[in-house]
Amino acid sequence: MQGCPVSLQEQTKPQLNEPPQSFENVNERYRYVRLATEELCRSLSDEDCTPQSMTDASPVKWHMAHTTWFFETFLLRPSVPEYEPFHPKFEYLFNSYYHSVGERHPRPKRGLLTRPSRNEVLEYRAHVDAAMESLLASQANPDIDALTEMGCHHEQQHQELILTDVKHLFWQNPLLPSYSSNGDSTNEIADIDMEWLPNDGGLVSVGHDSDGFAFDNERPCHQVILQPFEFGSRLVTNEEYSDFINDGGYEKSEFWLSEGWDTIQRRGWNAPLYWVRGDEGWSQFTLLGLVPLVGSEPVCHVSYYEADAFARWYGARLPREFEWEAMAEGEPVFGNLLEQQQYRPTSLSQGAPLQSPAQLFGDVWEWTQSPYVAYPGFVPSAGSLGEYNGKFMCNQIVLRGGSCVTPQSHIRSTYRNFFAPDARWQFSGIRLARDCSL
Amino acid sequence: MQGCPVSLQEQTKPQLNEPPQSFENVNERYRYVRLATEELCRSLSDEDCTPQSMTDASPVKWHMAHTTWFFETFLLRPSVPEYEPFHPKFEYLFNSYYHSVGERHPRPKRGLLTRPSRNEVLEYRAHVDAAMESLLASQANPDIDALTEMGCHHEQQHQELILTDVKHLFWQNPLLPSYSSNGDSTNEIADIDMEWLPNDGGLVSVGHDSDGFAFDNERPCHQVILQPFEFGSRLVTNEEYSDFINDGGYEKSEFWLSEGWDTIQRRGWNAPLYWVRGDEGWSQFTLLGLVPLVGSEPVCHVSYYEADAFARWYGARLPREFEWEAMAEGEPVFGNLLEQQQYRPTSLSQGAPLQSPAQLFGDVWEWTQSPYVAYPGFVPSAGSLGEYNGKFMCNQIVLRGGSCVTPQSHIRSTYRNFFAPDARWQFSGIRLARDCSL
Amino acid sequence: MQGCPVSLQEQTKPQLNEPPQSFENVNERYRYVRLATEELCRSLSDEDCTPQSMTDASPVKWHMAHTTWFFETFLLRPSVPEYEPFHPKFEYLFNSYYHSVGERHPRPKRGLLTRPSRNEVLEYRAHVDAAMESLLASQANPDIDALTEMGCHHEQQHQELILTDVKHLFWQNPLLPSYSSNGDSTNEIADIDMEWLPNDGGLVSVGHDSDGFAFDNERPCHQVILQPFEFGSRLVTNEEYSDFINDGGYEKSEFWLSEGWDTIQRRGWNAPLYWVRGDEGWSQFTLLGLVPLVGSEPVCHVSYYEADAFARWYGARLPREFEWEAMAEGEPVFGNLLEQQQYRPTSLSQGAPLQSPAQLFGDVWEWTQSPYVAYPGFVPSAGSLGEYNGKFMCNQIVLRGGSCVTPQSHIRSTYRNFFAPDARWQFSGIRLARDCSL
Amino acid sequence: MQGCPVSLQEQTKPQLNEPPQSFENVNERYRYVRLATEELCRSLSDEDCTPQSMTDASPVKWHMAHTTWFFETFLLRPSVPEYEPFHPKFEYLFNSYYHSVGERHPRPKRGLLTRPSRNEVLEYRAHVDAAMESLLASQANPDIDALTEMGCHHEQQHQELILTDVKHLFWQNPLLPSYSSNGDSTNEIADIDMEWLPNDGGLVSVGHDSDGFAFDNERPCHQVILQPFEFGSRLVTNEEYSDFINDGGYEKSEFWLSEGWDTIQRRGWNAPLYWVRGDEGWSQFTLLGLVPLVGSEPVCHVSYYEADAFARWYGARLPREFEWEAMAEGEPVFGNLLEQQQYRPTSLSQGAPLQSPAQLFGDVWEWTQSPYVAYPGFVPSAGSLGEYNGKFMCNQIVLRGGSCVTPQSHIRSTYRNFFAPDARWQFSGIRLARDCSL
């Protein structure tokens, strides 16, 4: 298995496990994010970086190139007249879905691009990085800074996808390779009771309203009315989910949305993705290879349909996205995030403090019951970046809170992730809520 | 083309074009609704009532039997111990989607049931009607009355589907048969300007809160906050939609949701369903056969994707469902509904009165931008009828207001219809809204 | 269930169970064949005649119209200048696959043609019959006679298809309707041993060489060399096929062609089409309804893959088409054919006479191992009828001998039927052969 | 792009362009063939060797491992008790289709095996080669020799597939990489007339009857009768095929088999695979990159459907496989084969000698009109190798003569290649024949 070319190895590595609490300026953020991407891919071979395991996933090499294409397309080409594109075809090859930028290589064929090689993609990255350094070093320009910050957040989204897509790729291989051997040992931990944290609801303010970065879909900040509700004090665990399975959860239609029931029949689902039943009980495929299922860890890799059915079986429901946001308001962004390098959700070691839900950030994205729609008064970003979020506001469900592979500097309480209700390859899990009993 | 058997023709026909303003009791409602169904099918041949043009549609004969199955299954079997089911297999054959009732005949094979014959289905209806008359004539029972009323509303939903499904079936036939020759002539009418009716928003109460019938999905009544908005004074017309087409609306990705763009590419859509381009311009297939497109009529048979794209092209947006409901609050249920027997949307003959939107009820179902979700505190109906609405609350969009084939006694301002965003065979059209300019 | 219109019932019915041994002239043949078609459909309702159970099958009404279209298109339009076509659209609606005639209604949509009604199709038939009678009554014309004879054989092919397609349609209906109650009781009969009839092979003449009617694909007559072989004295029975199933025939890949193995996996086949396993053993759906499986009857409704796998399991092989023809040379055309009105293969009541195989004609079409190819020197028929056979000479397998629903006057020893190797809805069964042991 | 590991580069390279006329013994053949495979892959990167462009194709790395698996499975495991398999999972990973050997990795997922790495596969090859050398060096054993020879021919089939699969993979890449820059320049050469070489037919002997190696499907040798025919003196050229296109060949159904017509409609074919129409006329994608189409070169990458349609348009037909074999009887195996390292068919430089067809071997595989069936008396190889050929004898067409990427020591006049009629990614072209005019 050959690794990264020598030149990169000599560079100063960002210390991923000691992430900056904040960045002094956008140049620092740019450098940190760009190196972090390459660091994530270092242990992978050229071959690992090439195939595409399904249409929803992309090759690692493609992620490395596409994030670079973003800076070339939205910053260097429009703002640096003397900029020489690295390769005339890359605009076509590495466009993801921006119709306004031009034609694209067909998504299902990304895994057939054996050329450019990974080394050439690294040269492409270096070429763009050099030009970006010059651009950022020239006189300050708030628009450039804003677009660069956007590009960094875009790349952080792809850092998460690199890991979820590699996991899915390795899962197709009967050798079940592991991405990392970093993770701590994962011991079963004694049960922590689910408690119900009350919230009075009423008029609450939701959405992003500060100066910091946020995507267009988090704006504008506005008021909504919430009915009183109760919020689960922690995430649902593998053990609780096993109880659902053992109780025939996948065989009883009364727990399921109609589309969910059809989906589990058609695809033969009877457990979360990556669960493997063996003679000794369940195992779970992780980025650290195949390991025994740990009951106290948060359940992960469930679809919206499964999360919703579990909640109904439990006698609860999924939270609405604004209920989640109301609970997260003011909570510190802290948890099992990418920089912890666990690459899997981990057990809760102690109960949450009074009134404060545990595991809000990190571990797993939490399915809400809210379809992904525009906030009242939503205005998409200007230009091609208007295609970033708005055009996906259909048949998607909002998830909140980030996962064990989300960079810490990328997540916040107003952040809205979204996936189709049948998506399972993300680190997606279950938070419960319920209406107040009278 | 042979019609209905003699026996039925001798019965007193309900006067569909003189619908009762209200029903004295549930018996009267039952009789009216049941006869109205048979009246709708009278002009169709046995052959017309047999095939299924696509999985989403059902054969007329199946609709006639399934609505009867509803009363047999939810009223007669549980409440009349001595009731003899008409046929032991009908419970299986005519169950639509109620898992809790038992196994079902596969939906895509409904069109292959040449037996029972239509005559046998009419006998089935008579058998159930007789038993229902007895049941309703026995001492009053509010639960029986409520379930019967529910069954009547269920049957009225299928009355609408009988017409939309026959229209779709006839469309597959190059002979382009017509269902009716009743309709008035349809002349082009001078343009009525689109006006924008302002609404201040704020705290409004939505959902059903009176004693009358409503589906579980309209409850509970609750408060929401609306931002100030403006509401289109009338429906979008064929002429306006033609302008969108002529302006390249179907070729410009910037107007479209991502899924919408994929859908129109994959299916080759470039106009509403049932539009036919000829040498002399557009024609439109209707229940009255193929007729020239009338520019002043409301555009119809568009998907959510097309409605949304049109609105974006127009510089407006679709209304949220509560914006629609706020505008409809207090408006009389009046319009081009089934009893008018026009079987197509009709031109607006004069401007709406000040502050009051025209065409709220009837003509076309109006796509909102709201995904179909549960209201806070939603509790599904008890028992098997809990499957009626709740399990479809995923990947569906709410439509409001009823269409030209909706029975008048079936619609109300809180009524929530829902279809997948790519559905076009319903009478679905476009109402516009927009944010208030500051 | 309403039957045929009165007018037809008054006509003299052909006595299907007393078929003519030969026809005096083509007029007589025409009348016999045309009435036989209508007789076959008499017991079916209008509804039964409408749907299409799969793309490979067609509605009964379509068969009735298409066979009429054949005479209109290939005889009346070209040869009778004053002929008035019955309906301008029927040329389009009822063309099966003749590109040279013009565009066609899409095959998968044949079942959606509720109009024309069955009565209108019967009027279409009467219209064409009247014109054909005039044409045939005018002075003799060998070309007209030959085309008419061809049209009669074409219609007889569709008579067989009417029954196989109705059987497949009724199979989709959980009520399992029966087409007829005519059939004799079907008792188990004592085993008759399989014997092996030797044939020395050598130079044999194959193909059609007499004056009588034959399709173009049976010509030219030519010589081939056959190696010595042995030919099974009778058809394979249900009991023998059950032994194959019980021995794990469907679970052992070594018996199967690669495509066959893939096919049975993908479609979940584990028995012939129409076999139903119950608590009391196998039943079989027939045109007489569901009946217990009779072990001594010929196995039926197997694909080529299954026939081939069975033969390999048995230690034999399927015959080559010329081996079959060599064995049938000189044998009388006699057996359980359509006119016996059994509508199912029947048990062999006694052993075949020495050297003469039993059940050569009728009961089931016998899969050969020969792909359907052109004979050396093959010349397709002139004009559009050149599309009749030649263009299907790819990925089809030859079957020989006719079935229990093949008209007696339609079959002969040189007749080549052909179907794709996965077809099972025809009455197709198994004849064995083997190489000579040295 | 990194190449082969150092160790292999130090080995003596086989001189692929000076192939041995024959091998002294099986050891020599083994060494030559094994090194030739690695030589073919030397210029490819690890990334090039990983993906699978379609289900019919396989990754280069998989070919390298599977051919090794063959020797491990059929020679070392059964015959060398002390042999240690290289990796316990490789039996599963690199089995192609041998059911009797056990379960297999699913074919469509071969391209997702990023592990084992190419280097590990090379180690696997070295491990097996060492054990094979020992086995072959031990005392002579005719069975071992025969199986080894079979394994060599098997590997040579995969050498051809490596090149056809890489070509197909590179074709998916908009950068259109080239495999080699070796090829000669390819100039247009003056037309050489098509002549018709007569053959009297009659009784001819076909199939393999000598001591040399042949696959089971070439046996037994037997006699057939051929009608007199004429055979095209050379292959059909790009120019002739362009005439077919320009004459509307792809738009006229009368030239096409029914399945062929459906196929070209469904897939939108209007030229051979790899043809690219530009402003300056046609170009052709080759293993040497995109080059202008040379009219005098043999047309290549056509399906059976296209070959058959071209022949009908031309007024000729495709040869039967025994007509081809009769013409090739006694002809030297000589032509543009793999060792010429042209990697594409080349123009004929001069007319064929009297009575002897040109281009019989090499350049392109020649579609015959013969479905792939067993010869009379065919007996599959014993054991698992019985799955090699026999189970594919369905829905495949025979091709003869080898192509520009077929090793010379692999082809012979009795050799039967076979592909499905819609396959185009092989180097498949057109030889014409016709019936004798009287």
Side-chain angles (χ1 to χ4, degrees), chain A residues 44-307:
Chain A
L44 299 171
S45 70
D46 289 358
E47 289 148 308
D48 292 335
C49 296
T50 301
Q52 180 179 31
S53 62
M54 61 171 172
T55 302
D56 281 345
S58 293
V60 170
K61 191 167 68 179
W62 190 91
H63 286 298
M64 295 170 74
H66 165 68
T67 48
T68 306
W69 169 94
F70 190 99
F71 291 107
E72 189 175 64
T73 302
F74 296 119
L75 283 137
L76 298 175
R77 282 178 190 262
S79 304
V80 183
E82 70 279 13
Y83 175 72
E84 295 272 354
F86 182 75
H87 190 292
K89 282 273 189 183
F90 283 14
E91 181 167 33
Y92 171 87
L93 281 181
F94 299 119
N95 181 356
S96 53
Y97 55 67
Y98 294 85
H99 296 293
S100 50
V101 170
E103 295 293 308
R104 288 156 311 290
H105 189 58
R107 179 165 191 142
K109 295 197 166 185
R110 287 178 185 167
L112 304 181
L113 297 173
T114 64
R115 324 280 179 98
S117 68
R118 199 228 311 228
N119 272 354
E120 284 168 317
V121 167
L122 287 171
E123 287 165 22
Y124 176 38
R125 291 182 67 90
H127 176 89
V128 164
D129 285 351
M132 281 297 298
E133 289 283 351
S134 297
L135 175 61
L136 295 174
S138 64
Q139 67 190 84
N141 177 329
D143 288 350
I144 296 292
D145 286 3
L147 277 170
T148 302
E149 187 166 16
M150 171 85 169
C152 290
H153 280 284
H154 171 258
E155 183 145 347
Q156 287 182 310
Q157 292 181 313
H158 282 274
Q159 288 169 7
E160 176 150 5
L161 292 174
I162 283 171
L163 290 175
T164 56
D165 292 359
V166 159
K167 184 172 182 178
H168 192 260
L169 173 65
F170 282 1
W171 172 244
Q172 314 302 319
N173 190 331
L175 303 178
L176 292 179
S178 56
Y179 165 76
S180 163
S181 53
N182 267 8
D184 294 343
S185 67
T186 55
N187 295 319
E188 188 71 40
I189 283 178
D191 247 28
I192 292 175
D193 283 345
M194 177 77 74
E195 288 170 50
W196 295 98
L197 311 179
N199 187 302
D200 292 338
L203 268 180
V204 301
S205 186
V206 296
H208 199 82
D209 195 25
S210 81
D211 289 345
F213 176 82
F215 286 111
D216 55 4
N217 64 12
E218 302 169 53
R219 302 183 194 267
C221 179
H222 63 289
Q223 284 195 308
V224 296
I225 299 181
L226 296 181
Q227 307 299 319
F229 66 95
E230 294 180 335
F231 197 76
S233 60
R234 56 162 175 76
L235 294 171
V236 169
T237 64
N238 284 329
E239 184 171 347
E240 288 164 326
Y241 201 85
S242 299
D243 290 343
F244 168 65
I245 296 176
N246 295 336
D247 191 40
Y250 282 87
E251 286 93 50
K252 298 180 184 166
S253 64
E254 66 256 37
F255 301 133
W256 297 82
L257 286 166
S258 181
E259 280 198 12
W261 184 249
D262 291 349
T263 300
I264 65 171
Q265 306 299 315
R266 196 171 55 247
R267 305 202 189 163
W269 290 352
N270 52 24
L273 181 62
Y274 300 134
W275 284 34
V276 180
R277 199 194 290 268
D279 295 338
E280 317 259 313
W282 291 106
S283 296
Q284 190 174 18
F285 178 65
T286 72
L287 283 168
L288 292 74
L290 191 70
V291 299
L293 190 76
V294 177
S296 55
E297 285 179 10
V299 68
C300 191
H301 296 297
V302 292
S303 63
Y304 172 70
Y305 299 129
E306 289 161 301

Side-chain angles (χ1 to χ4, degrees), chain B residues 1-2 43-54 61 87 89-90 92-93 105 109 111-120 169-170 172-175 177-179, chain C residues 1-2 43-54 61 87 89-90 92-93 105 109 111-120 169-170 172-175 177-179:
Chain B
M1 223 71 55
Q2 73 268 28
S43 66
L44 299 170
S45 71
D46 291 357
E47 289 148 308
D48 291 337
C49 294
T50 301
Q52 179 178 32
S53 62
M54 61 171 171
K61 191 168 68 181
H87 191 291
K89 282 272 189 183
F90 282 14
Y92 171 88
L93 281 180
H105 188 59
K109 294 195 166 185
L112 305 181
L113 298 172
T114 64
R115 322 277 179 100
S117 67
R118 200 228 309 228
N119 272 352
E120 285 168 317
L169 173 65
F170 282 1
Q172 313 302 318
N173 190 329
L175 303 178
S178 55
Y179 165 77
Chain C
M1 220 75 51
Q2 74 267 29
S43 65
L44 300 170
S45 72
D46 290 358
E47 289 148 308
D48 292 335
C49 295
T50 300
Q52 179 178 33
S53 62
M54 61 171 171
K61 191 167 70 179
H87 190 292
K89 281 274 190 182
F90 282 14
Y92 171 87
L93 281 180
H105 188 57
K109 295 196 167 185
L112 304 181
L113 298 172
T114 64
R115 323 280 178 98
S117 67
R118 200 230 305 232
N119 272 353
E120 284 168 317
L169 173 65
F170 281 1
Q172 314 302 319
N173 190 330
L175 303 179
S178 56
Y179 164 76

Side-chain angles (χ1 to χ4, degrees), chain D residues 5-35:
Chain D
V6 176
S7 56
L8 248 183
Q9 290 173 355
E10 287 164 359
Q11 294 179 322
T12 309
K13 296 186 202 172
Q15 297 300 312
L16 287 184
N17 54 353
E18 297 176 16
Q21 288 310 303
S22 65
F23 297 102
E24 283 202 11
N25 52 38
V26 76
N27 311 37
E28 193 184 25
R29 179 185 292 270
Y30 181 87
R31 259 177 242 128
Y32 177 81
V33 168
R34 296 287 287 170
L35 282 170

Side-chain angles (χ1 to χ4, degrees), chain B residues 89-350:
Chain B
K89 282 272 189 183
F90 282 14
E91 181 166 36
Y92 171 88
L93 281 180
F94 299 119
N95 182 356
S96 54
Y97 55 67
Y98 294 85
H99 296 293
S100 49
V101 171
E103 295 293 308
R104 287 156 311 290
H105 188 59
R107 180 165 189 141
K109 294 195 166 185
R110 289 179 185 166
L112 305 181
L113 298 172
T114 64
R115 322 277 179 100
S117 67
R118 200 228 309 228
N119 272 352
E120 285 168 317
V121 168
L122 287 171
E123 288 165 19
Y124 176 38
R125 292 181 66 90
H127 175 89
V128 164
D129 286 350
M132 282 297 298
E133 289 284 349
S134 297
L135 174 62
L136 295 175
S138 64
Q139 68 191 83
N141 177 329
D143 287 350
I144 296 292
D145 286 3
L147 278 170
T148 303
E149 187 166 18
M150 171 83 170
C152 290
H153 280 284
H154 170 259
E155 183 146 348
Q156 288 182 310
Q157 290 181 315
H158 282 274
Q159 287 170 7
E160 175 149 5
L161 292 174
I162 282 170
L163 291 174
T164 57
D165 292 358
V166 158
K167 183 171 181 179
H168 193 260
L169 173 65
F170 282 1
W171 172 243
Q172 313 302 318
N173 190 329
L175 303 178
L176 292 179
S178 55
Y179 165 77
S180 163
S181 53
N182 268 9
D184 295 343
S185 67
T186 54
N187 296 319
E188 188 71 39
I189 284 179
D191 248 27
I192 291 175
D193 282 346
M194 177 76 76
E195 289 169 50
W196 294 99
L197 310 179
N199 187 303
D200 291 338
L203 268 178
V204 301
S205 186
V206 296
H208 200 80
D209 195 23
S210 80
D211 289 345
F213 176 84
F215 287 111
D216 56 5
N217 65 10
E218 301 169 53
R219 302 182 192 266
C221 178
H222 63 289
Q223 284 196 307
V224 297
I225 299 181
L226 297 181
Q227 307 299 318
F229 66 96
E230 293 179 336
F231 197 76
S233 59
R234 57 160 175 77
L235 295 171
V236 169
T237 63
N238 284 328
E239 183 170 349
E240 288 164 328
Y241 201 86
S242 299
D243 290 345
F244 168 65
I245 295 176
N246 295 336
D247 192 39
Y250 282 86
E251 286 93 51
K252 296 180 184 166
S253 64
E254 67 257 37
F255 301 133
W256 296 82
L257 287 165
S258 181
E259 281 198 11
W261 184 248
D262 292 348
T263 301
I264 65 171
Q265 307 299 313
R266 196 171 54 245
R267 307 203 188 162
W269 290 352
N270 52 26
L273 180 62
Y274 300 132
W275 285 34
V276 179
R277 199 194 291 268
D279 294 340
E280 317 259 314
W282 291 106
S283 297
Q284 191 174 16
F285 178 66
T286 72
L287 283 167
L288 293 73
L290 191 70
V291 298
L293 191 76
V294 176
S296 54
E297 287 179 9
V299 68
C300 192
H301 296 297
V302 292
S303 64
Y304 173 71
Y305 299 130
E306 290 162 300
D308 174 81
F310 174 87
R312 198 166 291 117
W313 169 81
Y314 193 96
R317 59 172 174 82
L318 299 179
R320 294 183 178 82
E321 67 166 318
F322 299 137
E323 291 171 342
W324 194 98
E325 193 168 329
M327 294 304 290
E329 164 69 25
E331 295 289 330
V333 175
F334 167 87
N336 174 17
L337 290 150
L338 176 63
E339 289 80 1
Q340 273 62 45
Q341 298 185 318
Q342 295 300 310
Y343 308 124
R344 55 184 293 186
T346 50
S347 301
L348 187 62
S349 55
Q350 55 180 46

Side-chain angles (χ1 to χ4, degrees), chain A residues 1-2 46-48 50-52 61 87 93 105 109 111-112 114-115 117-118 170 172-175, chain D residues 2 46-48 50-52 61 87 92-93 105 109 111-115 117-118 170 172-175:
Chain A
M1 222 72 50
Q2 74 268 23
D46 289 358
E47 289 148 308
D48 292 335
T50 301
Q52 180 179 31
K61 191 167 68 179
H87 190 292
L93 281 181
H105 189 58
K109 295 197 166 185
L112 304 181
T114 64
R115 324 280 179 98
S117 68
R118 199 228 311 228
F170 282 1
Q172 314 302 319
N173 190 331
L175 303 178
Chain D
Q2 74 270 23
D46 290 356
E47 289 147 308
D48 292 336
T50 300
Q52 179 178 32
K61 191 167 68 179
H87 191 291
Y92 171 87
L93 281 180
H105 188 59
K109 294 196 166 184
L112 304 181
L113 298 173
T114 64
R115 322 280 178 98
S117 69
R118 197 219 326 219
F170 282 1
Q172 313 302 318
N173 190 330
L175 302 178

Side-chain angles (χ1 to χ4, degrees), chain A residues 12-27:
Chain A
T12 308
K13 296 185 201 174
Q15 297 302 311
L16 287 184
N17 54 353
E18 298 175 16
Q21 289 310 304
S22 65
F23 298 101
E24 284 203 8
N25 53 36
V26 75
N27 311 38

